[in-house]
Amino acid sequence: MADLEGVAERLRAAYAAGAIAPLRGDLEPTDIEGAYAVQAINTRYWTGQGRRVVGRKVGLTARAVQAQLGVDQPDFGVLFNDMALPDGGVLPAGKVLQPKAEAEIAFILGADITDVAVTAEDVAGSVSEAVAAIEIVDSRIADWKIAFADTVADNGSSAFFVLGSEPKLLSGLDLWTCGMALEVNGEVVSLGAGAACLGHPLNAVAWLARILAERGEPLRAGDIVLSGALGPMVSIKPGDVVKATIGGLGTASFTYGERS
């Protein structure tokens, strides 16, 4: 039996002490239930410390990345209130270990989603707004040498997120063919489209909603959902100015610390 409490404690300590070795000795690479159990342990710990859950993030929405990690499904992590950065704000370099940035579409829910058979079309009716977003992902696993269990246990390799300042109603938006450009210091470093996210970003939200409803932890009105990357994630270094532009949704941006 894996020492799940011990794994959870090691991951928490890594935020301050530095990245740790992959969890292979404690969790099999595809141990889904064990990995989510570790995530849940740390979620309970952090909420007990005063952090507030404000939503969820979906990861591994690209089929190629799923194949690389030997799984056939996405994963999810928890978003806490202190993970939100203001649009155009600064992420202090000391807050992350080995960060990467990816552009996503975020959804703000206007209604609870409790149906275990919910569809993407149903989800659209529960969404209040969509907005351009950047997720700053990070790994407490050294050198990003992650298996599926590593990233799930590590809260979906989450760190921070930025929501744009131009939320839109879904009506009239084309979130399938909408283009995405991610720039670092004015140079385009990642391109993508809505279709890259499980075929449509709302498919990712529907997958998440079904999983959470089955677990008895349904998405609620007001929740933020980061639906998954629209293109490849990119490494960032102190001083970088990162900007995502998504067709129909405008922009989101932040600066990663100060240039050394």
Side-chain angles (χ1 to χ4, degrees):
M1 294 290 291
D3 177 14
L4 301 183
E5 291 282 353
V7 173
E9 184 176 1
R10 286 167 53 208
L11 284 168
R12 291 198 306 271
Y15 281 80
I20 61 176
L23 306 175
R24 310 291 195 273
D26 298 286
L27 289 174
E28 290 297 319
T30 56
D31 183 355
I32 296 175
E33 291 306 314
Y36 278 117
V38 171
Q39 184 185 124
I41 289 168
N42 278 337
T43 299
R44 289 192 295 270
Y45 174 86
W46 281 318
T47 54
Q49 297 297 303
R51 300 178 79 185
R52 180 169 53 87
V53 176
V54 295
R56 298 290 194 280
K57 59 150 288 180
V58 185
L60 305 182
T61 51
R63 302 297 187 189
V65 178
Q66 291 179 17
Q68 182 181 7
L69 295 183
V71 295
D72 60 359
Q73 62 180 293
D75 72 344
F76 68 85
V78 177
L79 300 179
F80 294 97
N81 60 311
D82 56 3
M83 294 167 63
L85 295 175
D87 189 18
V90 176
L91 170 61
K95 293 286 189 179
V96 285
L97 300 175
Q98 40 189 354
K100 301 175 185 287
E102 54 190 31
E104 309 192 9
I105 296 172
F107 296 95
I108 315 300
L109 298 186
D112 297 351
I113 305 179
T114 59
D115 184 358
V116 297
V118 68
T119 66
E121 291 75 17
D122 297 329
V123 165
S126 298
V127 168
S128 171
E129 298 171 322
V131 64
I134 300 172
E135 184 182 3
I136 300 96
V137 292
D138 196 8
S139 182
R140 273 56 63 176
I141 305 300
D143 301 318
W144 278 91
K145 292 182 178 177
I146 57 172
F148 186 73
D150 293 301
T151 188
V152 169
D154 191 23
N155 197 28
S157 301
S158 62
F160 293 88
F161 65 93
V162 181
L163 300 184
S165 304
E166 305 173 60
K168 305 289 187 182
L169 300 177
L170 290 189
S171 177
L173 291 178
D174 179 356
L175 300 184
W176 183 61
T177 64
C178 66
M180 177 280 292
L182 183 67
E183 300 171 70
V184 175
N185 302 324
E187 178 183 355
V188 175
V189 293
S190 179
L191 293 169
C197 180
L198 279 189
H200 194 290
L202 288 175
N203 290 339
V205 182
W207 171 86
L208 174 66
R210 290 191 294 268
I211 292 292
L212 293 179
E214 289 171 358
R215 291 172 174 263
E217 304 171 358
L219 291 169
R220 298 296 187 186
D223 279 352
I224 301 164
V225 179
L226 298 180
S227 58
L230 303 185
M233 62 183 179
V234 297
S235 297
I236 54 176
K237 62 185 185 302
D240 283 346
V241 178
V242 183
K243 178 182 178 181
T245 303
I246 300 175
L249 293 175
T251 65
S253 67
F254 76 99
T255 300
Y256 174 40
E258 297 180 358
R259 194 179 303 277
S260 58

